[in-house]
Amino acid sequence: MCTDCGCAPAQHEHRHDSGSVRTLRIEEDLLAKNDRLAAANRAHFAAHGLLTLNLVSSPGSGKTTLLERTLTDLQKRIGFAVLEGDQQTSNDAEMTAATGVPAHQINTGAGCHLDAHMVGHGVEHFDLDKIDILLIENVGNLVCPAAFDLGEDAKVAVLSVTEGEDKPVKYPQMFRAASLMIINKIDLLPYLDFDMAKCRTYARQVNPDLEILELSCRSGEGLDAWYAWLENALAKKRPA
């Protein structure tokens, strides 16, 4: 891992006194270890019949508010648990736990993403036999979390209309890795120049198979489609 930025670089070059350059491929080993742990997580979750979703976005997209609204509305018929990822504070875990759903905070310190090792230990705080859906709110970042498999069934990319419609082409790896893109805060559209059609075009340009939902946690518009998506994904995970 790069000690300068906390991220996993594709490679680092180290120059020695002789003037020769030796390239060390660090990312390959780091991701290989993470992928092994992610595979173990995935098998563990599957053994308990869990649907596991990794929510990813830039900071301020509304992930936590979306979780709060979802947990409040659905917890009587679906068993949830939430892992919250942030560099510091337990604010988000406290907010989600206030809904009555089990929540655990993971602080990454200088790290810009969750990894499979953190998630594997994080779920030790839950009784997985009482959970239907595990929701992982990743650290707010559109770069680092895209490369790290946590053992999830799907990544859900949340994009708010305040961020601009070009995020999918600016950060293509994230939207290419996602199964669903939620365009959030659509209640603010009358006050912005956000181009919804262009955003959808950019997203499909990066990932033609990407599902797209538009919603507002404040007004409630579009939430029923999100809830239906969750229930459909859970039904596919646990076929009758």
Side-chain angles (χ1 to χ4, degrees), residues 70-202:
T70 301
L71 300 175
T72 299
D73 291 348
L74 297 185
Q75 63 177 294
K76 289 184 178 179
R77 62 179 188 265
I78 297 175
F80 289 98
V82 180
L83 286 177
E84 292 284 359
D86 281 302
Q87 289 189 323
Q88 297 293 336
T89 81
S90 60
N91 294 351
D92 286 355
E94 291 170 7
M95 291 172 67
T96 51
T99 66
V101 168
H104 177 69
Q105 183 75 48
I106 300 174
N107 289 134
T108 62
C112 56
H113 59 86
L114 294 174
D115 62 30
H117 181 262
M118 296 174 188
V119 169
H121 284 292
V123 296
E124 293 173 356
H125 296 267
F126 305 135
D127 182 349
L128 300 186
D129 290 327
K130 295 182 179 179
I131 299 168
D132 301 309
I133 300 179
L134 174 64
L135 297 170
I136 304 170
E137 182 177 357
N138 217 314
V139 178
N141 188 310
L142 280 175
V143 180
C144 303
F148 283 80
D149 184 4
L150 306 180
E152 73 269 23
D153 292 294
K155 285 183 173 66
V156 177
V158 182
L159 169 68
S160 73
V161 297
T162 58
E163 298 174 61
E165 62 273 350
D166 60 349
K167 283 293 187 294
V169 287
K170 281 188 172 182
Y171 303 95
Q173 187 176 4
M174 178 63 77
F175 293 89
R176 192 174 295 123
S179 299
L180 172 68
M181 178 176 76
I182 291 177
I183 303 176
N184 195 20
K185 304 185 183 180
I186 61 172
D187 54 296
L188 297 178
L189 283 172
Y191 313 103
L192 302 169
D193 294 326
F194 185 89
D195 190 325
M196 185 68 73
K198 190 174 289 186
C199 183
R200 284 176 164 270
T201 298
Y202 285 150

